[in-house]
């Protein structure tokens, strides 16, 4: 029986509470060599793609710049286009916001990346209803939260019309007959909707993938529905095999209503990893790393985001505050919020009491994402177990050191996965769609069944 193949993305994380930016091994977040190192390591490890997040405004906490944020990074598309010249097979995925950009420019930018990389472009579509972030843009925070996916859906609809407007035989370049392109095969796009009015011809011929691969991040019901309707892969977070299976089953179960099959959407949670010579060695390393990532100051900052007030007088190595959250969600600006503060505070209290945790220990426990800890063989086995048991189709790995943090995984875990028959030993195709086993968008639209 052929085993389900594992898909892997490599995340360049930037400065946040996943990285250990103060570690002597951590290098620049800006210099191009850092991006090249991680991308070349990922391609050497036969990863599906390299992934960049995006920050549109410096996050502020208690009216000061938060030091755990995606900061000081060059423009995402600029970096990815540059990486196209130093890689040959690796997919190039970037997070670009659908709230503060226009569909024509986004369609052109990602089509350009797809052309320049010979079919390796991917767009991680994210939304924002954050007025604080919106202040950096002409329209400010004009978009109601309820409308963010309305706009996102329409942006993708318009982009797809633009990408589809050049027929496959429109670009000719026939010197003898003096024909550069067949005008009859380049359709004008006319779109009128609640968010956009677009009319004109797209400026680029059809790119190698037809459409760049579309990624989406969002665990809400709206986000899951948007992903099932529009995305080729969902970037998600879950911490246990059972939670992963529930999410996987839920989003895959939504595909049929959009005429899509299970193979048309990949589920790729974010995950970190720590490798050791023994299981105990790895556990000790992981504990050390998490304490580097979450200082006492950081723990208090995280807690203040829930309590909505200044908690600097509290000892991070002491118990939780005995006061109730204020309900003020403005203490931290520029960060997505998930859930009611009082409900979260109650969950924190229950966990702290059950495990006798200090503030810092609690924040470490509550903010640790999916993590694989063990020897290379143990980590490979656990990753394989998630994929073979339909808790995911693979993972987007987030190393804690930039840019060399992926090297050990490539050197030690990838061979273990290959020995298990769960991971490629060479790239079978040239495009990112080939790597991910995705059908061409026109095959999906025309109902060609997946092989």
């Amino acid at each position: 029986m052929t085993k389900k193949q594992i898909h892997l993305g490599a995340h360049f994380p930037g400065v946040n509470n996943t990285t250990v930016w103060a570690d002597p091994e951590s290098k620049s977040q800006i210099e191009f060599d850092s991006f090249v190192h991680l991308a070349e390591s990922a391609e050497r490890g036969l990863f599906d793609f390299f992934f960049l997040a995006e920050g549109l405004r410096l996050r502020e906490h208690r009216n000061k710049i938060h030091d755990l944020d995606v900061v000081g990074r060059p423009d995402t598309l600029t970096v990815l286009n540059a990486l196209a010249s130093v890689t040959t097979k690796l997919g190039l995925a970037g997070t670009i916001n659908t709230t503060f950009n226009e569909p024509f420019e986004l369609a052109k930018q990602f089509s350009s990346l797809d052309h320049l990389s010979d079919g390796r472009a991917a767009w991680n579509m994210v939304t924002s209803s954050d007025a604080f972030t919106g202040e950096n843009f002409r329209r400010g925070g004009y978009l109601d939260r309820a409308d963010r996916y309305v706009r996102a859906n329409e942006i993708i609809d318009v982009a797809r019309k633009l990408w589809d407007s050049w027929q496959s035989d429109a670009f000719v370049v026939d010197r003898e007959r003096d024909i550069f392109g067949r005008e009859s095969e380049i359709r004008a796009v006319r779109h009128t909707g609640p968010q956009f009015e677009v009319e004109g011809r797209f400026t680029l011929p059809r790119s190698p993938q037809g459409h760049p691969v579309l990624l989406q991040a969002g665990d809400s019901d709206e986000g899951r529905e948007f992903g099932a309707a529009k995305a080729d892969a969902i970037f998600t977070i879950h911490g246990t095999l059972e939670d992963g299976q529930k999410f996987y089953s839920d989003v895959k179960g939504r595909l049929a209503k959009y005429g899509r099959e299970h193979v048309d959407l990949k589920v790729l949670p974010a995950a970190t990893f720590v490798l050791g010579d023994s299981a105990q060695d790895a556990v000790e390393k992981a504990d050390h790393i998490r304490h580097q990532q979450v200082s006492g100051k950081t723990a208090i900052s995280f807690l203040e985001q829930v309590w909505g007030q200044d908690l600097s007088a509290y000892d991070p190595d002491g118990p939780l505050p005995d006061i109730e959250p204020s309900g003020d969600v403005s203490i931290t600006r520029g960060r997505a919020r998930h859930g009611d503060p009082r409900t979260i505070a109650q969950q924190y209290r229950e966990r702290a009491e059950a495990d006798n945790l200090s503030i810092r220990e609690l924040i470490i426990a509550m903010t640790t994402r999916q993590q694989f800890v063990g020897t290379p063989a143990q980590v490979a086995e656990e990753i394989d177990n998630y994929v073979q048991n339909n808790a995911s189709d693979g993972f987007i790995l987030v190393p804690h050191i930039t840019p060399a943090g992926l090297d050990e995984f490539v050197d030690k875990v990838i061979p273990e996965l290959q020995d298990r028959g769960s991971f490629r030993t060479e790239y079978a195709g040239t495009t990112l769609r080939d790597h991910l086993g995705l059908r061409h968008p026109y095959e999906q639209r025309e109902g060609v069944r997946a092989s």
Side-chain angles (χ1 to χ4, degrees):
M1 178 179 172
T2 303
K3 294 187 71 174
K4 186 179 174 184
Q5 293 296 289
I6 295 168
H7 297 286
L8 294 175
H11 191 294
F12 189 101
V15 176
N16 55 42
N17 75 307
T18 301
T19 55
V20 183
W21 60 266
D23 191 291
E25 295 298 315
S26 184
K27 306 302 180 185
S28 174
Q29 303 283 334
I30 301 175
E31 293 175 7
F32 187 53
D33 284 350
S34 290
F35 297 101
V36 171
H37 185 120
L38 187 65
E40 289 183 339
S41 294
E43 188 162 69
R44 178 167 57 86
L46 305 174
F47 276 52
D48 294 73
F49 58 90
F50 172 97
F51 179 82
L52 276 179
E54 178 187 55
L56 295 180
R57 182 164 182 173
L58 295 181
R59 185 184 307 168
E60 292 181 10
H61 179 72
R62 292 172 51 199
N63 298 317
K64 295 180 180 179
I65 294 175
H66 198 294
D67 63 352
L68 298 178
D69 204 353
V70 180
V71 299
R73 176 185 293 169
D75 175 72
T76 294
L77 284 163
T78 301
V79 172
L80 294 180
N81 279 297
L83 288 176
S85 68
V86 296
T87 56
T88 58
K89 296 291 181 67
L90 184 70
L92 302 168
T95 301
I96 300 293
N97 198 288
T98 60
T99 303
F100 302 114
N101 293 286
E102 297 294 310
F104 180 88
E105 65 182 351
L106 290 172
K108 184 176 182 180
Q109 288 166 339
F110 278 99
S111 182
S112 297
L113 177 60
D114 208 44
H115 278 290
L116 294 175
S117 65
D118 295 323
R120 297 184 281 135
W123 172 12
N124 182 38
M125 313 167 290
V126 296
T127 66
S128 176
S129 58
D130 183 354
F132 173 73
T133 300
E135 290 171 3
N136 267 349
F137 296 85
R138 178 173 57 87
R139 298 184 185 181
Y142 71 97
L143 194 66
D144 288 339
R145 183 176 181 83
D147 292 331
R148 60 189 182 131
Y149 281 114
V150 173
R151 181 182 174 92
N153 271 289
E154 192 173 345
I155 273 199
I156 302 307
D157 289 342
V158 176
R160 283 176 167 171
K161 289 177 182 178
L162 294 165
W163 293 327
D164 290 346
S165 64
W166 284 62
Q167 299 301 294
S168 57
D169 58 351
F171 194 48
V172 181
V173 192
D174 187 333
R175 292 179 174 83
E176 292 183 0
R177 298 166 59 198
D178 196 26
I179 299 175
F180 185 76
R182 293 191 177 94
E183 185 174 356
S184 62
E185 299 299 299
I186 306 172
R187 298 193 303 269
V189 172
R190 294 179 177 85
H191 173 90
T192 300
Q195 299 284 335
F196 307 105
E197 289 189 12
V198 177
E199 182 168 351
R201 284 189 170 90
F202 194 46
T203 55
L204 285 174
R206 184 175 295 181
S207 70
Q209 293 187 109
H211 299 172
V213 170
L214 298 179
L215 284 72
Q216 185 262 341
D219 277 353
S220 69
D221 188 69
E222 280 183 306
R224 295 181 189 205
E225 200 67 26
F226 177 60
K230 296 292 198 289
D232 297 303
I234 287 186
F235 178 40
T236 184
I237 297 174
H238 59 69
T240 67
L241 181 70
E242 182 180 0
D243 287 344
Q245 289 172 326
K246 289 178 181 177
F247 180 88
Y248 189 95
S249 176
D250 179 60
V251 294
K252 297 274 187 172
R254 299 175 188 237
L255 293 169
K257 73 176 76 172
Y258 301 106
R260 307 181 69 197
E261 300 180 27
H262 277 212
V263 295
D264 296 328
L265 179 69
K266 306 301 179 186
V267 176
L268 303 172
T272 62
F273 62 91
V274 179
L275 303 178
D277 294 331
S278 66
Q280 183 59 34
D281 178 41
V283 168
E284 291 173 359
K285 284 183 178 180
D287 183 67
H288 174 67
I289 290 166
R290 285 303 285 145
H291 278 80
Q292 285 182 295
Q293 292 166 331
V294 182
S295 66
K297 174 186 172 183
T298 297
I300 294 295
S301 294
F302 268 92
L303 203 67
E304 288 173 336
Q305 292 173 21
V306 176
W307 259 255
Q309 54 193 296
D310 181 358
L311 300 176
S312 58
Y314 285 84
D315 180 1
D317 294 318
L320 285 177
D322 57 3
I323 57 177
E324 289 300 313
S326 69
D328 179 9
V329 296
S330 65
I331 192 167
T332 298
R333 303 197 296 169
R335 180 178 184 270
R337 301 175 185 89
H338 305 283
D340 173 64
R342 290 179 175 82
T343 301
I344 296 172
Q346 183 57 35
Q347 293 170 347
Y348 278 20
R349 285 198 174 103
E350 291 173 359
R351 178 66 182 272
E353 183 177 352
D355 296 338
N356 192 29
L357 301 177
S358 68
I359 291 173
R360 187 181 183 192
E361 290 168 336
L362 175 70
I363 295 301
I364 288 173
M366 299 302 287
T367 62
T368 299
R369 65 175 71 198
Q370 171 66 51
Q371 191 171 28
F372 296 109
V373 178
T375 66
Q378 289 170 332
V379 168
E381 181 179 9
E382 191 173 3
I383 289 174
D384 196 27
N385 185 47
Y386 269 77
V387 174
Q388 303 309 325
N389 287 285
N390 292 331
S392 75
D393 293 304
F395 291 91
I396 297 177
L397 297 180
V398 189
H400 70 279
I401 294 291
T402 302
L406 192 67
D407 296 357
E408 189 178 21
F409 187 95
V410 169
D411 293 336
K412 297 180 179 179
V413 180
I414 291 296
E416 295 282 351
L417 293 173
Q418 291 169 332
D419 287 345
R420 299 174 73 88
S422 304
F423 194 74
R424 64 174 66 95
T425 55
E426 61 182 359
Y427 287 112
T430 59
T431 72
L432 180 53
R433 287 188 178 275
D434 292 333
H435 305 341
L436 290 169
L438 295 168
R439 294 186 293 165
H440 193 282
Y442 306 122
E443 291 180 345
Q444 293 189 40
R445 186 178 62 200
E446 294 165 8
V448 177
R449 290 197 61 81
S451 57

